[in-house]
Coordinates of all heavy atoms in Angstrom, one line a residue:
A1021 N 0.8 -1.2 0.0 CA 0.0 0.0 0.0 C 0.9 1.3 0.0 O 1.9 1.3 0.6 CB -0.9 0.0 1.2
R1022 N 0.4 2.3 -0.6 CA 1.1 3.5 -0.7 C 1.1 4.3 0.6 O 2.0 5.2 0.9 CB 0.6 4.4 -1.8 CG 0.8 3.9 -3.2 CD 0.0 4.7 -4.2 NE -1.3 4.1 -4.3 CZ -2.1 4.3 -5.3 NH1 -1.8 5.1 -6.3 NH2 -3.3 3.7 -5.3
N1023 N 0.1 4.1 1.4 CA -0.1 4.8 2.7 C -1.0 4.0 3.6 O -1.6 3.0 3.2 CB -0.6 6.2 2.4 CG -1.9 6.2 1.6 OD1 -2.9 5.5 1.8 ND2 -1.9 7.0 0.5
E1024 N -1.2 4.4 4.8 CA -2.0 3.8 5.8 C -3.5 3.8 5.4 O -4.2 2.8 5.7 CB -1.8 4.4 7.2 CG -0.4 4.2 7.7 CD -0.1 2.7 8.0 OE1 -1.0 2.0 8.5 OE2 1.0 2.3 7.8
F1025 N -3.9 4.8 4.7 CA -5.3 4.9 4.3 C -5.6 3.8 3.3 O -6.6 3.1 3.4 CB -5.6 6.3 3.7 CG -7.0 6.5 3.3 CD1 -8.0 6.8 4.2 CD2 -7.4 6.4 2.0 CE1 -9.3 7.0 3.9 CE2 -8.7 6.6 1.6 CZ -9.7 6.8 2.6
E1026 N -4.7 3.6 2.3 CA -4.9 2.6 1.3 C -4.9 1.2 2.0 O -5.7 0.3 1.7 CB -3.9 2.6 0.2 CG -4.1 1.6 -0.9 CD -3.1 1.7 -2.0 OE1 -2.0 2.3 -1.8 OE2 -3.4 1.2 -3.1
E1027 N -4.0 1.0 3.0 CA -4.0 -0.2 3.7 C -5.3 -0.5 4.4 O -5.8 -1.6 4.5 CB -2.8 -0.2 4.7 CG -2.6 -1.5 5.5 CD -2.3 -2.7 4.6 OE1 -1.7 -2.6 3.5 OE2 -2.6 -3.8 5.1
M1028 N -5.8 0.6 5.0 CA -7.1 0.4 5.8 C -8.2 0.0 4.8 O -9.0 -0.9 5.1 CB -7.5 1.8 6.4 CG -8.8 1.8 7.2 SD -10.3 2.1 6.3 CE -9.9 3.7 5.6
L1029 N -8.2 0.6 3.6 CA -9.2 0.2 2.6 C -9.1 -1.3 2.3 O -10.1 -2.0 2.2 CB -9.1 1.0 1.4 CG -9.5 2.5 1.5 CD1 -9.2 3.2 0.1 CD2 -10.9 2.7 2.0
R1030 N -7.9 -1.8 2.1 CA -7.6 -3.2 1.8 C -8.1 -4.1 3.0 O -8.7 -5.1 2.7 CB -6.1 -3.4 1.5 CG -5.7 -2.9 0.2 CD -4.2 -3.2 0.0 NE -3.8 -2.7 -1.3 CZ -2.6 -2.7 -1.7 NH1 -1.6 -3.3 -1.0 NH2 -2.3 -2.2 -2.9
V1031 N -7.7 -3.7 4.2 CA -8.1 -4.5 5.4 C -9.6 -4.6 5.5 O -10.1 -5.7 5.8 CB -7.5 -3.9 6.6 CG1 -8.1 -4.6 7.9 CG2 -5.9 -4.1 6.6
E1032 N -10.3 -3.5 5.2 CA -11.7 -3.5 5.2 C -12.4 -4.2 4.0 O -13.6 -4.3 3.9 CB -12.3 -2.1 5.3 CG -11.9 -1.4 6.6 CD -12.5 -2.0 7.8 OE1 -13.6 -2.6 7.7 OE2 -12.0 -1.9 8.9
G1033 N -11.6 -4.6 3.0 CA -12.1 -5.3 1.9 C -12.7 -4.4 0.8 O -13.6 -4.9 0.1
L1034 N -12.4 -3.2 0.8 CA -13.0 -2.2 -0.1 C -12.2 -2.1 -1.4 O -11.0 -1.8 -1.4 CB -13.1 -0.8 0.5 CG -14.1 -0.7 1.6 CD1 -14.1 0.8 2.1 CD2 -15.5 -1.1 1.1
S1035 N -12.8 -2.4 -2.5 CA -12.1 -2.2 -3.8 C -12.2 -0.7 -4.1 O -12.9 0.0 -3.5 CB -12.9 -3.0 -4.9 OG -14.2 -2.5 -5.1
K1036 N -11.4 -0.4 -5.1 CA -11.4 1.0 -5.6 C -12.8 1.4 -6.1 O -13.3 2.5 -5.8 CB -10.4 1.3 -6.7 CG -9.0 1.3 -6.3 CD -8.1 1.5 -7.6 CE -6.7 1.5 -7.2 NZ -5.8 1.9 -8.4
R1037 N -13.4 0.5 -6.8 CA -14.8 0.8 -7.3 C -15.8 1.0 -6.1 O -16.5 2.0 -6.1 CB -15.2 -0.4 -8.1 CG -16.6 -0.2 -8.8 CD -16.9 -1.3 -9.8 NE -18.1 -1.1 -10.4 CZ -19.3 -1.6 -9.9 NH1 -19.3 -2.3 -8.8 NH2 -20.4 -1.4 -10.6
R1038 N -15.8 0.1 -5.1 CA -16.7 0.3 -4.0 C -16.4 1.6 -3.2 O -17.3 2.3 -2.8 CB -16.5 -0.9 -3.0 CG -17.3 -0.8 -1.7 CD -18.8 -0.8 -1.8 NE -19.3 -1.8 -2.6 CZ -20.5 -1.8 -3.1 NH1 -21.4 -0.8 -2.9 NH2 -21.0 -2.9 -3.8
F1039 N -15.1 1.9 -3.0 CA -14.7 3.1 -2.4 C -15.3 4.3 -3.1 O -15.9 5.2 -2.5 CB -13.2 3.2 -2.3 CG -12.6 4.5 -1.8 CD1 -12.9 5.0 -0.6 CD2 -11.8 5.3 -2.7 CE1 -12.4 6.2 -0.1 CE2 -11.3 6.5 -2.3 CZ -11.6 7.0 -1.0
G1040 N -15.2 4.3 -4.5 CA -15.7 5.4 -5.3 C -17.2 5.5 -5.1 O -17.8 6.6 -5.1
I1041 N -17.9 4.4 -5.1 CA -19.4 4.4 -4.9 C -19.7 5.0 -3.6 O -20.6 5.8 -3.5 CB -19.9 3.0 -5.1 CG1 -19.8 2.5 -6.5 CG2 -21.4 2.9 -4.6 CD1 -20.1 1.1 -6.8
I1042 N -19.0 4.6 -2.5 CA -19.3 5.1 -1.2 C -19.2 6.6 -1.1 O -20.0 7.3 -0.5 CB -18.4 4.4 -0.1 CG1 -18.8 2.9 -0.1 CG2 -18.6 5.0 1.2 CD1 -17.7 2.1 0.6
I1043 N -18.1 7.1 -1.7 CA -17.9 8.6 -1.5 C -18.4 9.4 -2.7 O -18.1 10.6 -2.8 CB -16.4 8.9 -1.2 CG1 -15.5 8.5 -2.3 CG2 -16.0 8.3 0.2 CD1 -14.1 9.1 -2.1
D1044 N -19.0 8.7 -3.7 CA -19.6 9.3 -4.9 C -18.6 10.0 -5.8 O -18.7 11.2 -6.1 CB -20.7 10.2 -4.5 CG -21.6 10.6 -5.6 OD1 -21.7 9.8 -6.6 OD2 -22.2 11.7 -5.6
V1045 N -17.5 9.3 -6.1 CA -16.5 9.8 -7.1 C -16.2 8.7 -8.1 O -16.5 7.5 -7.9 CB -15.2 10.3 -6.5 CG1 -15.5 11.5 -5.6 CG2 -14.5 9.2 -5.8
K1046 N -15.7 9.1 -9.3 CA -15.4 8.1 -10.3 C -14.0 8.3 -10.9 O -13.4 9.3 -10.7 CB -16.4 8.2 -11.5 CG -17.8 7.9 -11.1 CD -18.8 8.1 -12.2 CE -20.2 7.9 -11.7 NZ -21.2 8.3 -12.7
G1047 N -13.5 7.3 -11.6 CA -12.3 7.4 -12.4 C -11.1 7.8 -11.7 O -10.8 7.3 -10.6
S1048 N -10.4 8.8 -12.3 CA -9.1 9.2 -11.8 C -9.2 9.8 -10.4 O -8.2 9.9 -9.6 CB -8.4 10.1 -12.7 OG -9.2 11.3 -12.9
T1049 N -10.4 10.3 -10.0 CA -10.5 10.9 -8.7 C -10.4 9.9 -7.6 O -9.8 10.1 -6.5 CB -11.9 11.6 -8.6 OG1 -12.0 12.5 -9.6 CG2 -12.1 12.3 -7.2
I1050 N -10.8 8.6 -7.9 CA -10.6 7.5 -6.9 C -9.1 7.4 -6.6 O -8.6 7.3 -5.5 CB -11.2 6.2 -7.4 CG1 -12.7 6.4 -7.5 CG2 -10.8 5.1 -6.5 CD1 -13.4 5.2 -8.2
D1051 N -8.3 7.2 -7.7 CA -6.8 7.1 -7.5 C -6.2 8.3 -6.8 O -5.3 8.1 -6.0 CB -6.2 6.8 -8.9 CG -6.5 5.4 -9.4 OD1 -6.6 4.5 -8.6 OD2 -6.6 5.3 -10.6
K1052 N -6.7 9.5 -7.2 CA -6.1 10.7 -6.6 C -6.4 10.7 -5.1 O -5.5 11.0 -4.3 CB -6.8 11.9 -7.2 CG -6.4 13.3 -6.6 CD -7.0 14.4 -7.3 CE -8.3 14.8 -6.7 NZ -8.9 16.0 -7.2
Y1053 N -7.6 10.3 -4.7 CA -7.9 10.3 -3.2 C -7.1 9.2 -2.5 O -6.7 9.4 -1.3 CB -9.4 10.1 -3.0 CG -10.2 11.4 -3.3 CD1 -11.6 11.3 -3.2 CD2 -9.6 12.6 -3.6 CE1 -12.3 12.5 -3.4 CE2 -10.4 13.7 -3.8 CZ -11.7 13.7 -3.7 OH -12.5 14.8 -3.9
I1054 N -7.0 8.0 -3.1 CA -6.2 7.0 -2.5 C -4.7 7.3 -2.4 O -4.1 7.1 -1.3 CB -6.4 5.6 -3.2 CG1 -7.8 5.1 -3.0 CG2 -5.4 4.6 -2.7 CD1 -8.2 3.9 -3.8
N1055 N -4.2 8.0 -3.4 CA -2.8 8.4 -3.4 C -2.6 9.5 -2.4 O -1.5 9.6 -1.7 CB -2.4 8.8 -4.8 CG -0.9 9.1 -4.9 OD1 -0.1 8.3 -4.4 ND2 -0.5 10.2 -5.5
D1056 N -3.5 10.4 -2.3 CA -3.4 11.6 -1.3 C -4.7 11.8 -0.6 O -5.5 12.6 -1.0 CB -3.0 12.8 -2.1 CG -2.7 14.0 -1.2 OD1 -2.8 13.9 0.1 OD2 -2.4 15.1 -1.7
P1057 N -4.9 11.0 0.4 CA -6.2 11.1 1.1 C -6.5 12.5 1.7 O -7.7 12.8 2.1 CB -6.1 10.1 2.3 CG -5.0 9.2 1.9 CD -4.1 10.0 1.0
S1058 N -5.5 13.3 1.9 CA -5.8 14.7 2.4 C -6.7 15.5 1.5 O -7.2 16.5 2.0 CB -4.4 15.4 2.7 OG -3.8 15.7 1.4
Q1059 N -6.9 15.1 0.3 CA -7.8 15.8 -0.6 C -9.2 15.4 -0.5 O -10.1 16.0 -1.1 CB -7.3 15.6 -2.1 CG -5.9 16.2 -2.3 CD -5.5 16.1 -3.8 OE1 -6.3 16.2 -4.6 NE2 -4.2 15.9 -4.0
I1060 N -9.5 14.4 0.2 CA -10.9 13.9 0.4 C -11.7 14.9 1.2 O -11.2 15.5 2.2 CB -11.0 12.5 1.1 CG1 -10.1 11.5 0.3 CG2 -12.4 12.1 1.2 CD1 -10.0 10.2 1.0
R1061 N -12.9 15.2 0.7 CA -13.7 16.2 1.4 C -14.3 15.6 2.7 O -14.5 14.4 2.8 CB -14.8 16.7 0.5 CG -14.3 17.4 -0.7 CD -15.4 17.7 -1.7 NE -14.8 18.2 -2.9 CZ -14.8 19.5 -3.2 NH1 -15.3 20.4 -2.4 NH2 -14.3 19.9 -4.4
V1062 N -14.7 16.5 3.6 CA -15.2 16.1 4.9 C -16.4 15.2 4.8 O -16.5 14.2 5.4 CB -15.5 17.3 5.8 CG1 -16.2 17.0 7.1 CG2 -14.2 18.1 6.2
H1063 N -17.4 15.6 3.9 CA -18.6 14.9 3.8 C -18.3 13.5 3.2 O -19.0 12.5 3.5 CB -19.7 15.6 3.0 CG -19.4 15.7 1.5 ND1 -19.8 14.8 0.6 CD2 -18.7 16.6 0.8 CE1 -19.4 15.1 -0.6 NE2 -18.7 16.2 -0.5
Q1064 N -17.3 13.3 2.4 CA -16.9 12.0 1.9 C -16.3 11.1 3.0 O -16.6 9.9 3.0 CB -15.9 12.2 0.7 CG -16.6 12.9 -0.5 CD -15.6 13.3 -1.5 OE1 -14.5 13.8 -1.2 NE2 -16.0 13.2 -2.8
I1065 N -15.5 11.7 3.8 CA -14.9 11.0 5.0 C -16.1 10.5 5.9 O -16.1 9.4 6.3 CB -13.9 11.8 5.7 CG1 -12.7 12.1 4.8 CG2 -13.5 11.1 7.0 CD1 -11.7 13.1 5.4
E1066 N -17.0 11.4 6.1 CA -18.2 11.0 6.9 C -19.0 9.9 6.3 O -19.4 8.9 7.0 CB -19.0 12.2 7.2 CG -18.4 13.2 8.1 CD -19.1 14.5 8.2 OE1 -19.9 14.9 7.3 OE2 -18.8 15.3 9.2
S1067 N -19.1 9.9 4.9 CA -19.8 8.8 4.2 C -19.1 7.5 4.4 O -19.7 6.4 4.6 CB -20.0 9.1 2.7 OG -20.8 10.2 2.6
L1068 N -17.8 7.5 4.3 CA -16.9 6.3 4.4 C -17.0 5.8 5.9 O -17.2 4.6 6.1 CB -15.5 6.6 4.1 CG -14.5 5.5 4.2 CD1 -14.9 4.3 3.3 CD2 -13.1 6.0 3.8
A1069 N -17.0 6.7 6.8 CA -17.1 6.3 8.2 C -18.4 5.6 8.5 O -18.5 4.6 9.2 CB -16.9 7.5 9.1
N1070 N -19.5 6.2 7.9 CA -20.8 5.6 8.1 C -20.9 4.2 7.5 O -21.4 3.3 8.1 CB -21.9 6.5 7.5 CG -22.2 7.7 8.3 OD1 -21.9 7.8 9.5 ND2 -22.7 8.8 7.6
Y1071 N -20.3 4.1 6.3 CA -20.3 2.8 5.6 C -19.5 1.7 6.5 O -20.0 0.6 6.6 CB -19.7 2.9 4.2 CG -19.6 1.6 3.5 CD1 -20.7 1.1 2.8 CD2 -18.5 0.8 3.6 CE1 -20.7 -0.1 2.1 CE2 -18.4 -0.4 2.9 CZ -19.5 -0.9 2.2 OH -19.5 -2.1 1.6
L1072 N -18.4 2.2 7.0 CA -17.5 1.2 7.8 C -18.0 1.1 9.2 O -17.5 0.3 9.9 CB -16.1 1.8 7.8 CG -15.4 1.8 6.4 CD1 -14.0 2.5 6.6 CD2 -15.2 0.4 5.9
E1073 N -19.0 1.9 9.6 CA -19.5 1.9 11.0 C -18.3 2.2 11.9 O -18.0 1.6 12.9 CB -20.2 0.6 11.4 CG -21.4 0.3 10.6 CD -22.1 -1.0 11.0 OE1 -21.6 -1.8 11.7 OE2 -23.2 -1.2 10.5
A1074 N -17.5 3.2 11.5 CA -16.3 3.7 12.2 C -16.5 5.1 12.6 O -17.4 5.8 12.2 CB -15.1 3.5 11.2
D1075 N -15.6 5.5 13.4 CA -15.5 6.9 13.9 C -14.9 7.8 12.9 O -13.7 7.5 12.5 CB -14.7 6.9 15.3 CG -14.6 8.3 15.9 OD1 -15.4 9.2 15.5 OD2 -13.7 8.4 16.7
A1076 N -15.6 8.8 12.4 CA -15.0 9.7 11.4 C -13.7 10.4 12.0 O -12.8 10.6 11.2 CB -16.0 10.8 11.1
T1077 N -13.7 10.6 13.3 CA -12.5 11.3 13.8 C -11.2 10.4 13.6 O -10.1 10.8 13.4 CB -12.7 11.6 15.3 OG1 -13.8 12.4 15.5 CG2 -11.5 12.3 15.9
A1078 N -11.4 9.1 13.8 CA -10.3 8.1 13.6 C -9.8 8.2 12.1 O -8.6 8.1 11.9 CB -10.7 6.7 14.0
L1079 N -10.8 8.3 11.2 CA -10.4 8.4 9.8 C -9.6 9.7 9.5 O -8.6 9.7 8.8 CB -11.6 8.3 8.8 CG -12.2 6.9 8.7 CD1 -13.5 7.0 7.8 CD2 -11.3 5.9 8.2
F1080 N -10.1 10.8 10.1 CA -9.4 12.1 9.9 C -8.0 12.0 10.5 O -7.0 12.5 9.9 CB -10.1 13.2 10.7 CG -11.4 13.7 10.0 CD1 -12.6 13.5 10.5 CD2 -11.3 14.4 8.8 CE1 -13.8 13.9 9.8 CE2 -12.4 14.9 8.1 CZ -13.6 14.7 8.6
K1081 N -7.8 11.3 11.6 CA -6.5 11.2 12.2 C -5.6 10.3 11.3 O -4.4 10.7 11.1 CB -6.6 10.5 13.6 CG -5.3 10.4 14.3 CD -5.5 9.8 15.7 CE -4.1 9.6 16.4 NZ -4.2 8.9 17.6
L1082 N -6.1 9.3 10.8 CA -5.3 8.4 9.9 C -4.9 9.2 8.7 O -3.7 9.2 8.3 CB -6.2 7.2 9.4 CG -5.5 6.3 8.4 CD1 -4.4 5.5 9.1 CD2 -6.6 5.3 7.9
I1083 N -5.8 10.0 8.1 CA -5.4 10.8 6.9 C -4.4 11.9 7.3 O -3.4 12.1 6.6 CB -6.7 11.5 6.3 CG1 -7.5 10.3 5.7 CG2 -6.4 12.6 5.3 CD1 -9.0 10.8 5.4
H1084 N -4.6 12.5 8.5 CA -3.6 13.5 9.0 C -2.2 12.9 9.1 O -1.2 13.5 8.7 CB -4.1 14.1 10.3 CG -3.1 14.8 11.1 ND1 -2.7 16.1 10.8 CD2 -2.3 14.4 12.1 CE1 -1.7 16.4 11.7 NE2 -1.5 15.4 12.5
E1085 N -2.2 11.7 9.7 CA -0.9 11.1 9.9 C -0.2 10.7 8.6 O 1.0 10.8 8.4 CB -1.0 9.9 10.8 CG -1.4 10.3 12.3 CD -1.8 9.1 13.1 OE1 -1.9 8.0 12.6 OE2 -1.9 9.4 14.4
D1086 N -1.0 10.2 7.6 CA -0.5 10.0 6.3 C 0.1 11.2 5.7 O 1.2 11.2 5.1 CB -1.6 9.4 5.4 CG -1.7 7.9 5.4 OD1 -0.8 7.2 6.0 OD2 -2.7 7.4 4.9
Y1087 N -0.6 12.3 5.8 CA -0.2 13.6 5.2 C 1.1 14.1 5.9 O 2.1 14.5 5.2 CB -1.2 14.7 5.4 CG -0.9 15.9 4.6 CD1 -0.8 16.0 3.2 CD2 -0.8 17.1 5.3 CE1 -0.5 17.1 2.6 CE2 -0.5 18.3 4.7 CZ -0.3 18.3 3.3 OH 0.0 19.5 2.6
A1088 N 1.2 13.9 7.2 CA 2.5 14.3 7.9 C 3.6 13.5 7.4 O 4.7 14.0 7.2 CB 2.3 14.1 9.4
R1089 N 3.4 12.1 7.3 CA 4.5 11.3 6.8 C 4.9 11.7 5.4 O 6.1 11.7 5.0 CB 4.0 9.8 6.8 CG 4.2 9.1 8.1 CD 3.9 7.6 8.0 NE 2.5 7.3 7.9 CZ 1.7 7.2 8.9 NH1 2.0 7.5 10.1 NH2 0.4 6.9 8.7
K1090 N 4.0 12.1 4.5 CA 4.3 12.5 3.2 C 5.2 13.8 3.2 O 6.2 13.8 2.5 CB 3.0 12.8 2.4 CG 3.2 13.3 1.0 CD 1.9 13.6 0.3 CE 2.2 14.2 -1.0 NZ 1.0 14.8 -1.6
L1091 N 4.8 14.7 4.0 CA 5.6 16.0 4.2 C 7.0 15.7 4.7 O 7.9 16.3 4.2 CB 4.9 17.0 5.0 CG 3.6 17.6 4.5 CD1 3.0 18.6 5.5 CD2 3.8 18.3 3.2
I1092 N 7.1 14.8 5.7 CA 8.4 14.4 6.2 C 9.2 13.8 5.1 O 10.4 14.2 5.0 CB 8.2 13.5 7.4 CG1 7.6 14.2 8.6 CG2 9.6 12.8 7.8 CD1 7.2 13.3 9.7
S1093 N 8.7 12.9 4.3 CA 9.4 12.2 3.3 C 9.9 13.2 2.2 O 10.9 13.0 1.6 CB 8.6 11.1 2.7 OG 7.6 11.6 1.8
E1094 N 9.1 14.3 2.0 CA 9.5 15.3 1.1 C 10.3 16.5 1.7 O 10.7 17.4 1.0 CB 8.2 16.0 0.5 CG 7.4 15.0 -0.3 CD 6.1 15.5 -0.8 OE1 5.7 16.7 -0.3 OE2 5.4 14.8 -1.5
G1095 N 10.6 16.3 3.0 CA 11.4 17.4 3.7 C 10.7 18.7 3.9 O 11.3 19.7 4.0
R1096 N 9.4 18.6 3.9 CA 8.6 19.9 4.0 C 7.8 19.9 5.3 O 6.9 20.8 5.5 CB 7.6 20.0 2.8 CG 8.2 20.0 1.5 CD 7.3 20.3 0.4 NE 6.2 19.4 0.3 CZ 4.9 19.7 0.1 NH1 4.5 20.9 0.1 NH2 4.0 18.8 0.0
Y1097 N 8.0 19.0 6.2 CA 7.3 19.0 7.5 C 7.8 20.0 8.5 O 9.0 20.1 8.7 CB 7.3 17.6 8.1 CG 6.6 17.4 9.4 CD1 5.2 17.2 9.4 CD2 7.2 17.6 10.6 CE1 4.5 17.1 10.6 CE2 6.5 17.4 11.8 CZ 5.2 17.2 11.8 OH 4.5 17.1 12.9
E1098 N 6.9 20.7 9.0 CA 7.2 21.6 10.2 C 6.1 21.3 11.2 O 4.9 21.3 10.8 CB 7.2 23.0 9.8 CG 8.3 23.4 8.9 CD 8.3 24.9 8.6 OE1 7.8 25.7 9.4 OE2 8.8 25.3 7.6
Q1099 N 6.4 21.1 12.4 CA 5.4 20.8 13.5 C 4.3 21.9 13.5 O 3.2 21.6 13.7 CB 6.1 20.8 14.8 CG 5.1 20.3 15.9 CD 4.6 18.9 15.8 OE1 5.3 18.1 15.3 NE2 3.4 18.7 16.1
S1100 N 4.7 23.1 13.2 CA 3.7 24.2 13.2 C 2.5 24.0 12.2 O 1.5 24.6 12.4 CB 4.3 25.6 12.9 OG 4.9 25.6 11.7
Y1101 N 2.7 23.2 11.2 CA 1.6 22.9 10.2 C 0.5 22.3 11.0 O -0.7 22.4 10.5 CB 2.1 22.0 9.1 CG 3.0 22.5 8.1 CD1 3.7 21.7 7.2 CD2 3.3 23.9 8.0 CE1 4.6 22.2 6.3 CE2 4.2 24.4 7.1 CZ 4.8 23.5 6.2 OH 5.7 24.0 5.3
F1102 N 0.7 21.5 12.0 CA -0.3 20.7 12.6 C -0.6 21.1 14.0 O -1.5 20.5 14.6 CB 0.1 19.2 12.6 CG 0.4 18.8 11.2 CD1 1.7 18.6 10.7 CD2 -0.7 18.5 10.3 CE1 1.9 18.2 9.4 CE2 -0.4 18.1 9.0 CZ 0.8 18.0 8.5
S1103 N 0.0 22.1 14.5 CA -0.3 22.5 15.9 C -1.5 23.5 15.9 O -1.7 24.3 15.0 CB 0.9 23.1 16.6 OG 1.3 24.3 15.9
I1104 N -2.3 23.4 16.9 CA -3.4 24.3 17.1 C -3.2 25.1 18.3 O -3.0 24.6 19.4 CB -4.8 23.5 17.2 CG1 -5.0 22.6 16.0 CG2 -5.9 24.4 17.5 CD1 -6.2 21.7 16.1
K1105 N -3.1 26.4 18.1 CA -2.8 27.3 19.2 C -4.1 27.6 20.0 O -5.1 27.8 19.3 CB -2.1 28.5 18.7 CG -0.8 28.2 18.1 CD -0.1 29.4 17.7 CE 1.3 29.1 17.0 NZ 2.0 30.2 16.6
K1106 N -4.0 27.7 21.3 CA -5.1 28.1 22.1 C -5.1 29.5 22.3 O -4.1 30.2 22.3 CB -5.1 27.3 23.4 CG -5.3 25.8 23.3 CD -5.3 25.2 24.6 CE -5.6 23.7 24.4 NZ -5.7 23.0 25.6

């Protein structure tokens, strides 16, 4: 798998086609979202969570962690990207 999100889809037994149906996208958009889950819209993540009977927050966290790993691998990660100031 290219990332933890794709691995999760595999573990859950979701094909690319089924994933696309669940979040209502087709064709190259499916591959784009699997390759870079940070581009998936909030309502689509919620649809996937509902289908999986999973916590949407857990999916957001998984996607966030994948994105952080991607930035680290590209040398573009800064902790400040992900910190929330009070």
